[in-house]
Amino acid sequence: MGHCHFHPVEGRDEARLVLDNPYPCRFDMGLVKGMAQHFAPEATLTHDTSAGCRQKGANSCTDHVLW
């Protein structure tokens, strides 16, 4: 249910993920960060509320992952 759209940032170890599913954004953040840190322990995740947040009524959330 829902989608996770992966958008790599060219030339950087970074990606933007747009998640439009019925799960809480904190749940998605834990899954994404855990998966990223499985492959790159130094990976970080930022929840970009400027792009909207499902918790505040938006249709999707945007997270930035750096590794």
Side-chain angles (χ1 to χ4, degrees):
M1 292 189 338
H3 299 92
C4 176
H5 306 274
F6 181 85
H7 305 278
V9 177
E10 192 170 331
R12 298 182 62 178
D13 292 337
E14 181 179 351
R16 180 175 57 93
L17 287 89
V18 179
L19 301 117
D20 57 352
N21 60 52
Y23 306 110
C25 47
R26 291 266 182 211
F27 178 79
D28 286 336
M29 291 169 64
L31 288 175
V32 171
K33 185 176 179 182
M35 182 60 74
Q37 288 182 340
H38 176 77
F39 295 100
E42 71 282 359
T44 61
L45 180 134
T46 305
H47 188 63
D48 184 1
T49 56
S50 69
C53 177
R54 292 186 313 261
Q55 190 173 2
K56 296 180 180 180
N59 290 327
S60 65
C61 286
T62 301
D63 295 333
H64 296 272
V65 181
L66 292 97
W67 61 91

Coordinates of all heavy atoms in Angstrom, one line a residue:
M1 N 0.8 -1.2 0.0 CA 0.0 0.0 0.0 C 0.9 1.2 0.0 O 1.8 1.3 0.8 CB -0.9 0.0 1.2 CG -1.9 -1.1 1.2 SD -3.2 -1.1 2.4 CE -2.7 -0.2 3.7
G2 N 0.6 2.1 -0.9 CA 1.4 3.3 -1.0 C 2.7 3.1 -1.8 O 2.9 2.1 -2.3
H3 N 3.5 4.2 -1.8 CA 4.7 4.1 -2.6 C 5.8 4.8 -1.8 O 5.6 5.7 -1.0 CB 4.5 4.9 -3.9 CG 3.4 4.3 -4.8 ND1 2.1 4.7 -4.7 CD2 3.5 3.3 -5.7 CE1 1.4 4.0 -5.6 NE2 2.2 3.1 -6.2
C4 N 7.0 4.5 -2.2 CA 8.3 5.1 -1.8 C 9.0 5.5 -3.1 O 9.5 4.6 -3.8 CB 9.1 4.2 -0.9 SG 10.6 5.0 -0.4
H5 N 9.1 6.7 -3.4 CA 9.7 7.2 -4.6 C 11.2 7.6 -4.3 O 11.4 8.5 -3.4 CB 9.0 8.3 -5.3 CG 7.5 8.0 -5.5 ND1 7.1 7.4 -6.6 CD2 6.4 8.2 -4.7 CE1 5.8 7.2 -6.6 NE2 5.4 7.7 -5.4
F6 N 12.1 7.0 -4.9 CA 13.6 7.2 -4.6 C 14.1 8.1 -5.7 O 14.0 7.8 -6.9 CB 14.3 5.8 -4.6 CG 15.8 5.9 -4.3 CD1 16.2 6.0 -3.0 CD2 16.7 6.0 -5.4 CE1 17.6 6.0 -2.8 CE2 18.0 6.0 -5.1 CZ 18.5 6.0 -3.8
H7 N 14.7 9.2 -5.3 CA 15.3 10.2 -6.2 C 16.7 10.5 -5.8 O 17.0 11.2 -4.9 CB 14.5 11.5 -6.2 CG 13.1 11.4 -6.5 ND1 12.6 11.3 -7.7 CD2 12.0 11.3 -5.6 CE1 11.2 11.2 -7.7 NE2 10.9 11.1 -6.4
P8 N 17.7 9.8 -6.5 CA 19.1 10.0 -6.1 C 19.5 11.5 -6.4 O 19.0 12.1 -7.4 CB 19.9 9.0 -6.9 CG 19.0 8.6 -8.0 CD 17.6 8.9 -7.6
V9 N 20.5 12.0 -5.7 CA 21.0 13.3 -5.9 C 22.3 13.1 -6.7 O 23.3 12.5 -6.1 CB 21.3 14.1 -4.6 CG1 21.9 15.4 -4.9 CG2 20.0 14.3 -3.9
E10 N 22.4 13.5 -7.9 CA 23.5 13.2 -8.8 C 24.8 13.8 -8.2 O 24.9 14.9 -7.8 CB 23.3 13.8 -10.2 CG 24.2 13.4 -11.2 CD 23.8 13.8 -12.6 OE1 22.6 13.9 -12.9 OE2 24.8 13.9 -13.4
G11 N 25.8 13.0 -8.2 CA 27.2 13.4 -7.8 C 27.3 13.4 -6.3 O 28.4 13.8 -5.8
R12 N 26.3 13.0 -5.5 CA 26.4 13.0 -4.0 C 25.9 11.7 -3.5 O 25.2 11.0 -4.1 CB 25.6 14.1 -3.5 CG 26.1 15.5 -4.0 CD 25.3 16.6 -3.4 NE 25.5 16.6 -1.9 CZ 24.9 17.5 -1.1 NH1 24.2 18.5 -1.6 NH2 25.1 17.5 0.2
D13 N 26.4 11.4 -2.3 CA 25.9 10.2 -1.6 C 24.6 10.6 -0.8 O 24.6 10.7 0.4 CB 26.9 9.6 -0.6 CG 28.1 9.0 -1.4 OD1 28.0 8.6 -2.5 OD2 29.2 9.0 -0.8
E14 N 23.6 10.9 -1.6 CA 22.4 11.4 -1.0 C 21.2 11.0 -1.9 O 21.3 10.9 -3.1 CB 22.5 13.0 -1.0 CG 21.3 13.7 -0.4 CD 21.5 15.2 -0.3 OE1 22.6 15.7 -0.6 OE2 20.5 15.8 0.0
A15 N 20.0 10.9 -1.3 CA 18.8 10.6 -2.0 C 17.6 11.3 -1.3 O 17.7 11.6 -0.1 CB 18.5 9.1 -2.1
R16 N 16.6 11.6 -2.1 CA 15.4 12.2 -1.6 C 14.3 11.1 -1.8 O 14.2 10.6 -2.8 CB 15.0 13.5 -2.4 CG 13.7 14.1 -1.9 CD 13.5 15.4 -2.6 NE 13.4 15.3 -4.1 CZ 12.3 15.0 -4.8 NH1 11.2 14.9 -4.2 NH2 12.4 14.9 -6.1
L17 N 13.6 10.8 -0.7 CA 12.5 9.8 -0.8 C 11.2 10.5 -0.5 O 11.1 11.2 0.5 CB 12.7 8.7 0.3 CG 13.9 7.8 -0.1 CD1 15.2 8.3 0.5 CD2 13.6 6.4 0.5
V18 N 10.2 10.3 -1.4 CA 8.9 10.8 -1.2 C 8.0 9.6 -0.9 O 7.9 8.6 -1.7 CB 8.4 11.5 -2.4 CG1 7.0 12.0 -2.2 CG2 9.3 12.7 -2.8
L19 N 7.4 9.6 0.3 CA 6.6 8.4 0.8 C 5.2 8.8 0.9 O 4.8 9.8 1.6 CB 7.1 8.0 2.1 CG 8.6 7.6 2.1 CD1 9.4 8.5 3.0 CD2 8.8 6.2 2.5
D20 N 4.3 8.1 0.1 CA 2.9 8.4 0.1 C 2.2 7.1 0.5 O 1.8 6.3 -0.4 CB 2.4 9.0 -1.2 CG 2.7 8.2 -2.4 OD1 3.4 7.2 -2.3 OD2 2.1 8.5 -3.5
N21 N 2.1 6.8 1.7 CA 1.4 5.6 2.2 C 0.7 5.9 3.5 O 0.8 7.0 4.0 CB 2.5 4.4 2.4 CG 3.5 4.8 3.4 OD1 3.2 5.2 4.5 ND2 4.8 4.7 3.1
P22 N -0.1 4.9 4.0 CA -0.9 5.2 5.2 C -0.2 5.1 6.5 O -0.8 5.2 7.5 CB -2.0 4.2 5.0 CG -1.4 3.0 4.3 CD -0.5 3.6 3.4
Y23 N 1.1 4.8 6.5 CA 1.8 4.5 7.7 C 2.3 5.8 8.3 O 2.6 6.8 7.6 CB 3.0 3.6 7.5 CG 2.5 2.3 6.8 CD1 2.9 2.0 5.5 CD2 1.7 1.4 7.5 CE1 2.4 0.9 4.9 CE2 1.3 0.2 6.9 CZ 1.7 0.0 5.6 OH 1.2 -1.1 4.9
P24 N 2.5 5.9 9.6 CA 3.0 7.1 10.3 C 4.4 7.5 9.8 O 5.2 6.6 9.5 CB 3.1 6.8 11.8 CG 2.2 5.6 11.9 CD 2.2 4.9 10.6
C25 N 4.7 8.7 9.6 CA 6.0 9.1 9.1 C 7.2 8.6 10.0 O 8.2 8.2 9.4 CB 6.1 10.6 8.8 SG 5.5 11.7 10.1
R26 N 7.0 8.6 11.3 CA 8.1 8.0 12.1 C 8.3 6.6 11.8 O 9.5 6.1 11.9 CB 7.7 8.2 13.6 CG 7.6 9.6 14.1 CD 8.9 10.0 14.7 NE 8.9 11.3 15.2 CZ 9.9 12.1 15.2 NH1 11.1 11.7 14.8 NH2 9.8 13.3 15.6
F27 N 7.3 5.8 11.5 CA 7.5 4.4 11.1 C 8.4 4.3 9.8 O 9.4 3.6 9.8 CB 6.1 3.8 10.9 CG 6.2 2.3 10.4 CD1 6.4 1.3 11.4 CD2 6.0 2.0 9.1 CE1 6.5 0.0 10.9 CE2 6.1 0.7 8.7 CZ 6.3 -0.3 9.6
D28 N 8.0 5.1 8.8 CA 8.8 5.1 7.6 C 10.2 5.6 7.9 O 11.2 5.0 7.3 CB 8.2 6.1 6.6 CG 6.9 5.5 5.9 OD1 6.8 4.3 5.9 OD2 6.1 6.3 5.4
M29 N 10.4 6.6 8.7 CA 11.8 7.1 9.0 C 12.6 6.0 9.6 O 13.8 5.8 9.3 CB 11.7 8.3 9.9 CG 11.1 9.5 9.2 SD 10.7 10.9 10.4 CE 12.3 11.3 11.0
G30 N 12.0 5.2 10.5 CA 12.8 4.1 11.2 C 13.2 3.1 10.2 O 14.3 2.6 10.2
L31 N 12.3 2.7 9.3 CA 12.6 1.7 8.2 C 13.7 2.2 7.3 O 14.7 1.5 7.0 CB 11.4 1.4 7.4 CG 10.3 0.5 8.1 CD1 9.1 0.4 7.2 CD2 10.8 -0.8 8.5
V32 N 13.5 3.4 6.8 CA 14.5 4.0 5.8 C 15.9 4.1 6.5 O 16.9 3.7 5.9 CB 14.0 5.3 5.3 CG1 15.1 6.0 4.4 CG2 12.7 5.1 4.4
K33 N 15.9 4.7 7.7 CA 17.2 4.9 8.3 C 17.9 3.6 8.7 O 19.1 3.4 8.5 CB 17.0 5.7 9.6 CG 18.3 6.1 10.3 CD 18.1 7.0 11.5 CE 19.4 7.3 12.2 NZ 19.1 8.2 13.3
G34 N 17.1 2.6 9.2 CA 17.6 1.3 9.5 C 18.2 0.6 8.3 O 19.3 0.0 8.3
M35 N 17.5 0.7 7.2 CA 18.0 0.1 5.9 C 19.3 0.8 5.4 O 20.3 0.1 5.1 CB 16.9 0.1 4.8 CG 17.4 -0.6 3.5 SD 17.8 -2.3 3.7 CE 16.2 -3.0 3.9
A36 N 19.3 2.1 5.5 CA 20.5 2.8 5.0 C 21.7 2.5 5.9 O 22.8 2.3 5.4 CB 20.2 4.3 5.1
Q37 N 21.5 2.5 7.2 CA 22.6 2.2 8.2 C 23.0 0.7 8.1 O 24.1 0.4 8.5 CB 22.2 2.6 9.6 CG 22.1 4.1 9.7 CD 21.8 4.5 11.1 OE1 21.2 3.8 11.9 NE2 22.1 5.8 11.4
H38 N 22.2 -0.1 7.6 CA 22.6 -1.5 7.4 C 23.8 -1.5 6.4 O 24.7 -2.3 6.5 CB 21.5 -2.4 6.9 CG 21.8 -3.8 6.5 ND1 22.0 -4.7 7.5 CD2 22.0 -4.4 5.3 CE1 22.4 -5.9 6.9 NE2 22.3 -5.7 5.6
F39 N 23.7 -0.7 5.3 CA 24.7 -0.7 4.3 C 25.8 0.4 4.5 O 26.9 0.3 4.1 CB 24.1 -0.4 2.9 CG 23.2 -1.6 2.5 CD1 21.8 -1.5 2.7 CD2 23.7 -2.7 2.0 CE1 21.0 -2.5 2.3 CE2 22.9 -3.8 1.7 CZ 21.5 -3.7 1.8
A40 N 25.5 1.5 5.2 CA 26.4 2.5 5.5 C 26.1 3.0 7.0 O 25.2 3.8 7.2 CB 26.3 3.7 4.5
P41 N 26.8 2.5 8.0 CA 26.5 2.8 9.4 C 26.5 4.3 9.7 O 25.8 4.7 10.6 CB 27.6 2.1 10.1 CG 28.1 1.0 9.2 CD 27.9 1.5 7.8
E42 N 27.1 5.1 8.9 CA 27.2 6.6 9.2 C 26.0 7.3 8.5 O 25.9 8.5 8.6 CB 28.5 7.2 8.6 CG 28.6 7.2 7.1 CD 29.0 5.9 6.4 OE1 29.2 4.9 7.1 OE2 29.1 5.9 5.2
A43 N 25.1 6.6 7.9 CA 24.0 7.2 7.2 C 23.1 8.0 8.1 O 22.9 7.6 9.3 CB 23.1 6.2 6.5
T44 N 22.6 9.1 7.6 CA 21.7 10.0 8.4 C 20.4 10.2 7.6 O 20.4 10.1 6.4 CB 22.3 11.3 8.8 OG1 22.6 12.0 7.6 CG2 23.6 11.1 9.6
L45 N 19.3 10.6 8.3 CA 18.1 10.8 7.7 C 17.5 12.1 8.3 O 17.6 12.4 9.5 CB 17.1 9.7 8.0 CG 15.7 9.9 7.4 CD1 15.3 8.6 6.7 CD2 14.7 10.3 8.4
T46 N 16.9 12.9 7.4 CA 16.3 14.2 7.8 C 14.9 14.2 7.2 O 14.7 13.9 6.0 CB 17.1 15.4 7.2 OG1 18.4 15.3 7.7 CG2 16.4 16.7 7.7
H47 N 13.9 14.5 8.0 CA 12.5 14.6 7.6 C 12.3 16.0 7.2 O 12.4 17.0 8.0 CB 11.6 14.2 8.8 CG 10.2 14.1 8.5 ND1 9.7 13.1 7.6 CD2 9.1 14.7 8.9 CE1 8.4 13.2 7.6 NE2 8.0 14.2 8.3
D48 N 11.9 16.2 5.9 CA 11.8 17.6 5.3 C 10.3 18.0 5.4 O 9.5 17.7 4.6 CB 12.2 17.5 3.9 CG 12.2 18.9 3.2 OD1 11.8 19.9 3.9 OD2 12.5 18.9 2.0
T49 N 10.0 18.7 6.5 CA 8.6 19.2 6.7 C 8.2 20.3 5.8 O 7.0 20.6 5.6 CB 8.3 19.5 8.2 OG1 9.3 20.5 8.6 CG2 8.5 18.3 9.1
S50 N 9.2 21.0 5.2 CA 8.9 22.1 4.3 C 8.2 21.6 3.0 O 7.5 22.3 2.4 CB 10.2 22.8 3.9 OG 11.0 22.1 3.0
A51 N 8.3 20.3 2.7 CA 7.7 19.7 1.6 C 6.3 19.1 1.9 O 5.7 18.4 1.1 CB 8.6 18.7 1.0
G52 N 5.9 19.3 3.2 CA 4.6 18.7 3.7 C 4.9 17.5 4.5 O 5.9 16.9 4.4
C53 N 3.9 17.1 5.3 CA 4.0 16.0 6.1 C 2.6 15.3 6.3 O 1.6 16.1 6.5 CB 4.6 16.4 7.5 SG 4.7 15.0 8.7
R54 N 2.5 14.0 6.2 CA 1.3 13.3 6.3 C 0.7 13.6 7.7 O -0.6 13.6 7.9 CB 1.4 11.8 6.1 CG 1.8 11.5 4.7 CD 1.8 10.0 4.4 NE 2.5 9.3 5.4 CZ 3.7 8.8 5.2 NH1 4.4 9.1 4.1 NH2 4.3 8.1 6.2
Q55 N 1.5 13.7 8.7 CA 1.0 14.0 10.1 C 0.3 15.3 10.2 O -0.5 15.5 11.1 CB 2.2 13.9 11.1 CG 1.8 13.9 12.5 CD 3.0 13.7 13.4 OE1 4.2 13.6 13.0 NE2 2.8 13.7 14.7
K56 N 0.6 16.2 9.3 CA 0.0 17.5 9.3 C -1.1 17.7 8.1 O -1.4 18.8 7.7 CB 1.0 18.6 9.2 CG 1.9 18.6 10.4 CD 3.0 19.7 10.3 CE 3.8 19.6 11.6 NZ 4.9 20.6 11.5
G57 N -1.5 16.5 7.5 CA -2.5 16.5 6.5 C -2.1 16.5 5.1 O -2.9 16.4 4.2
A58 N -0.8 16.5 4.8 CA -0.3 16.4 3.4 C -0.5 14.9 2.9 O -0.7 14.0 3.7 CB 1.2 16.7 3.4
N59 N -0.4 14.7 1.6 CA -0.5 13.4 1.0 C 0.8 12.6 1.1 O 0.7 11.4 0.9 CB -0.9 13.6 -0.5 CG -2.3 14.1 -0.6 OD1 -3.2 13.8 0.2 ND2 -2.6 14.9 -1.6
S60 N 1.9 13.3 1.3 CA 3.2 12.5 1.4 C 4.1 13.2 2.3 O 3.9 14.3 2.8 CB 3.8 12.5 0.0 OG 4.1 13.8 -0.5
C61 N 5.2 12.5 2.6 CA 6.3 13.0 3.4 C 7.6 12.9 2.6 O 7.7 12.0 1.7 CB 6.5 12.2 4.7 SG 5.3 12.5 6.0
T62 N 8.5 13.8 2.8 CA 9.8 13.7 2.1 C 10.9 13.6 3.1 O 11.0 14.3 4.1 CB 10.0 15.0 1.3 OG1 8.9 15.1 0.3 CG2 11.3 15.0 0.5
D63 N 11.8 12.6 2.9 CA 13.0 12.4 3.7 C 14.2 12.5 2.9 O 14.2 12.1 1.7 CB 12.9 11.0 4.4 CG 11.8 10.8 5.3 OD1 11.3 11.8 5.9 OD2 11.3 9.7 5.5
H64 N 15.3 13.0 3.5 CA 16.6 13.0 2.8 C 17.5 12.1 3.5 O 17.6 12.1 4.8 CB 17.2 14.5 2.8 CG 16.3 15.4 2.1 ND1 16.5 15.6 0.7 CD2 15.3 16.2 2.5 CE1 15.6 16.6 0.3 NE2 14.9 16.9 1.3
V65 N 18.2 11.2 2.8 CA 19.1 10.3 3.3 C 20.5 10.6 2.8 O 20.7 10.8 1.6 CB 18.8 8.8 2.9 CG1 19.7 7.8 3.6 CG2 17.3 8.5 3.4
L66 N 21.5 10.7 3.7 CA 22.9 10.9 3.3 C 23.7 9.7 3.8 O 23.5 9.3 4.9 CB 23.4 12.2 3.9 CG 22.8 13.5 3.3 CD1 21.7 14.0 4.2 CD2 23.9 14.5 3.2
W67 N 24.7 9.3 3.0 CA 25.5 8.2 3.5 C 27.0 8.4 3.1 O 27.3 9.3 2.3 CB 25.0 6.8 3.0 CG 25.0 6.7 1.5 CD1 26.0 6.3 0.7 CD2 23.9 7.1 0.6 NE1 25.6 6.3 -0.6 CE2 24.3 6.8 -0.7 CE3 22.6 7.6 0.8 CZ2 23.5 7.0 -1.8 CZ3 21.8 7.8 -0.3 CH2 22.3 7.5 -1.6

